[in-house]
C-alpha cells in the first residue's frame, strides 16, 4: 500500500490539475488544493486554501507549510517565484507541468529551448507561452535541484477537456457523411490522455522521480488516428456511415480553415513542415520512467462517456464551413479533371 503523502496542488479546480487532485484523493493521500477558486471547485474530499498568485501577499496562507509533494501547472513566471519562496524549503518533491511548446524549433525533433521570458513576467499572452514555461522550469530547478520533476506534455486530451481539440473528431465521425480530413493521412499526430498524465505525475511524486521528460504517446498517422476513432465508436455501438475526404493543407489555409485550435479550426492539424517535430516527440524516455499509456480506444470511450448531451467545443469546424470547403475542393478537382 502506498504511504499517505501530504500533497499540495497549485490549481486543482480545472482539467489536468483537478484530475490530479481527484486521483490523489482516490489513492488515499491527504490532498490540499490552493487556488483562487474562480475557475471551478476542487474535487470532493480535499482541503481548499484560497490564494492569489498575482502578488507575494496573496500566497501568504501557504508560507511555512510542509508537503511531501507539490504539483504546479503555472504558466506565468511572476506567479512561480512567490510560491517557491513560500514553499520550496518545506517541499520534499516538486512537480512542474511544462509543455512541449518550450522547444525552439518545431519543424524537427530538437532539444534546443526557446529563450526564456523574464522571471518577473506576468504576461499571459499565448505567444509567450513556451518562453514563459522555460522560465518557470528554470525557477523550479534552481530552487529544488534534484527534487524537481519537470513534465512536458504534448496535446492533453480526454474527459472534461475545456479546449477539446480532440472532441471534435469523435463527434464528427458519429455524425457520419463526408468528413473533411486535413492534409495527408500519413502526417503524424500525438497526444497524452489526461488520466495517464495525472497518474504519472502522482507516481513521480510517490517515487520521488526527478529530471525532465516529454509526456506523450508514440506518434501515429492522422489516417490511422481517424480510423481508430471510428473503430472505437463502433465498439460503443455508435455507427454512422462516414467517409473521409483528404484535402491538402494549402487549400485549407486558403479557404479559412485554422490549424490547432480556435474558431473554424481542426484539432490535431498543424501545417507541415513547420510543425513536423511538434507531434513527433520521443515517447520512450517517459515510458521507461513509468508512464503508462491508454489505447486510443480507451481515450475515445472515456471522452464519449464523460461528454455532455450537447457539448460546446472551443476547437471545431462548423458544419457550414466544412460543407463550404468540401464543395470548393470538389469543384477544384473537377476543374482539374
Amino acid at each position: 500500500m502506498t504511504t499517505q503523502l501530504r500533497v499540495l496542488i497549485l490549481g486543482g479546480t480545472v482539467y489536468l490539475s483537478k484530475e490530479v487532485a481527484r486521483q490523489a484523493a482516490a489513492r488515499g493521500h491527504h490532498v490540499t488544493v490552493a487556488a483562487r477558486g474562480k475557475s471551478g471547485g476542487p474535487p470532493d474530499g480535499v482541503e481548499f486554501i484560497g490564494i492569489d498568485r498575482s502578488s507575494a501577499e496573496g500566497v501568504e496562507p501557504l508560507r511555512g507549510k510542509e508537503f511531501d509533494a507539490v504539483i504546479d501547472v503555472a504558466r506565468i513566471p511572476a506567479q512561480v517565484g512567490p510560491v517557491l519562496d513560500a514553499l520550496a524549503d518545506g517541499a520534499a518533491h516538486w512537480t512542474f507541468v511544462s509543455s512541449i511548446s518550450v522547444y525552439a524549433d518545431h519543424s524537427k525533433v530538437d532539444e534546443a529551448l526557446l529563450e526564456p521570458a523574464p522571471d518577473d513576467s506576468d504576461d499571459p499572452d499565448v505567444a509567450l507561452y513556451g518562453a514563459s514555461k522555460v522560465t518557470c522550469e528554470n525557477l523550479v530547478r534552481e530552487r529544488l535541484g534534484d527534487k524537481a520533476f519537470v513534465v512536458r506534455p504534448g496535446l492533453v486530451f480526454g474527459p472534461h477537456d475545456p479546449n477539446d481539440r480532440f472532441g471534435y473528431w469523435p463527434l464528427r465521425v458519429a455524425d457520419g457523411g463526408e468528413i473533411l480530413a486535413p492534409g495527408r493521412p500519413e502526417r503524424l499526430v500525438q497526444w497524452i490522455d489526461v488520466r495517464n498524465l495525472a497518474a504519472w505525475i502522482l507516481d513521480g511524486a510517490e517515487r520521488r522521480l526527478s529530471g525532465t521528460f516529454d509526456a506523450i504517446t508514440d506518434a501515429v498517422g492522422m489516417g490511422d488516428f481517424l480510423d481508430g476513432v471510428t473503430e472505437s465508436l463502433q465498439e460503443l455501438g455508435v455507427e454512422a456511415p462516414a467517409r473521409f475526404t483528404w484535402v491538402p493543407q494549402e487549400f485549407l489555409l486558403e479557404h479559412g480553415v485554422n490549424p490547432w485550435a480556435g474558431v473554424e479550426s481542426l484539432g490535431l492539424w498543424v501545417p507541415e513542415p513547420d510543425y513536423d517535430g511538434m507531434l513527433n516527440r520521443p515517447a520512450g524516455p517517459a515510458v521507461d520512467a513509468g508512464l503508462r499509456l491508454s489505447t486510443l480506444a480507451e481515450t475515445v470511450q472515456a471522452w464519449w462517456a464523460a461528454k455532455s448531451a450537447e457539448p460546446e467545443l472551443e476547437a471545431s469546424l462548423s458544419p457550414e464551413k466544412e460543407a463550404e470547403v468540401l464543395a470548393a475542393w470538389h469543384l477544384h478537382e473537377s476543374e482539374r479533371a
Side-chain angles (χ1 to χ4, degrees):
M1 183 176 177
T2 302
T3 302
Q4 186 186 57
L5 302 181
R6 296 163 299 169
V7 178
L8 171 67
I9 300 168
L10 296 162
T13 61
V14 177
Y15 198 35
L16 172 60
S17 62
K18 190 168 187 173
E19 179 66 16
V20 174
R22 186 192 66 76
Q23 290 194 26
R27 293 188 186 196
H29 298 310
H30 182 277
V31 183
T32 301
V33 163
R36 292 183 305 167
K38 294 183 178 180
S39 300
D44 293 337
V46 306
E47 178 186 7
F48 178 81
I49 297 178
I51 63 169
D52 183 349
R53 298 179 67 165
S54 63
S55 69
E57 293 76 16
V59 300
E60 279 301 312
L62 298 176
R63 188 171 300 280
K65 293 185 179 296
E66 295 186 350
F67 295 94
D68 300 302
V70 176
I71 297 160
D72 192 9
V73 299
R75 57 172 291 183
I76 299 175
Q79 295 184 356
V80 172
V83 169
L84 288 168
D85 290 341
L87 287 170
D89 292 342
H93 185 266
W94 197 291
T95 301
F96 180 71
V97 181
S98 185
S99 167
I100 59 167
S101 294
V102 298
Y103 296 108
D105 187 353
H106 289 305
S107 68
K108 57 186 178 181
V109 177
D110 192 336
E111 301 306 310
L113 302 182
L114 290 165
E115 288 296 319
D119 61 12
D120 61 351
S121 172
D122 61 359
D123 191 339
D125 194 298
V126 171
L128 295 175
Y129 178 72
S132 294
K133 283 290 195 180
V134 173
T135 301
C136 295
E137 287 187 11
N138 291 340
L139 290 169
V140 170
R141 289 194 201 92
E142 288 167 6
R143 289 295 297 269
L144 277 299
D146 61 6
K147 294 191 292 184
F149 178 38
V150 177
V151 177
R152 294 172 176 164
L155 177 58
V156 182
F157 59 54
H160 311 297
D161 179 358
N163 295 312
D164 247 333
R165 284 164 284 192
F166 164 69
Y168 171 80
W169 292 111
L171 284 176
R172 181 63 192 87
V173 169
D175 282 342
E178 185 181 18
I179 299 175
L180 175 62
R184 301 182 306 118
E186 300 80 14
R187 181 182 59 83
L188 297 177
V189 296
Q190 283 182 302
W191 63 90
I192 180 71
D193 187 306
V194 65
R195 299 165 303 160
N196 298 156
L197 180 57
W200 191 47
I201 286 169
L202 290 171
D203 290 345
E206 291 168 0
R207 294 165 46 203
R208 302 286 174 89
L209 190 62
S210 65
T212 301
F213 299 85
D214 292 340
I216 201 74
T217 63
D218 288 315
V220 301
M222 186 69 181
D224 290 336
F225 170 80
L226 292 178
D227 288 344
V229 170
T230 303
E231 293 166 5
S232 302
L233 291 174
Q234 289 172 347
E235 291 176 8
L236 290 172
V238 180
E239 296 197 44
R243 66 186 188 279
F244 297 106
T245 297
W246 294 89
V247 178
Q249 65 179 32
E250 293 78 13
F251 193 90
L252 296 178
L253 292 168
E254 289 169 4
H255 286 78
V257 179
N258 296 312
W260 200 237
V263 178
E264 302 296 13
S265 66
L266 287 174
L268 276 80
W269 169 49
V270 287
E272 301 176 283
D274 296 353
Y275 294 92
D276 281 357
M278 187 175 192
L279 297 180
N280 191 24
R281 300 294 308 176
V287 171
D288 291 344
L291 174 62
R292 296 183 295 276
L293 298 171
S294 295
T295 64
L296 176 57
E298 290 168 338
T299 299
V300 170
Q301 291 165 9
W303 184 90
W304 191 265
K307 71 178 177 60
S308 61
E310 297 184 2
E312 295 182 7
L313 307 184
E314 270 193 31
S316 64
L317 195 65
S318 68
E320 296 78 13
K321 185 66 175 180
E322 182 187 36
E324 173 193 318
V325 176
L326 283 170
W329 173 247
H330 290 311
L331 177 62
H332 171 79
E333 289 293 273
S334 67
E335 291 174 345
R336 292 178 55 194

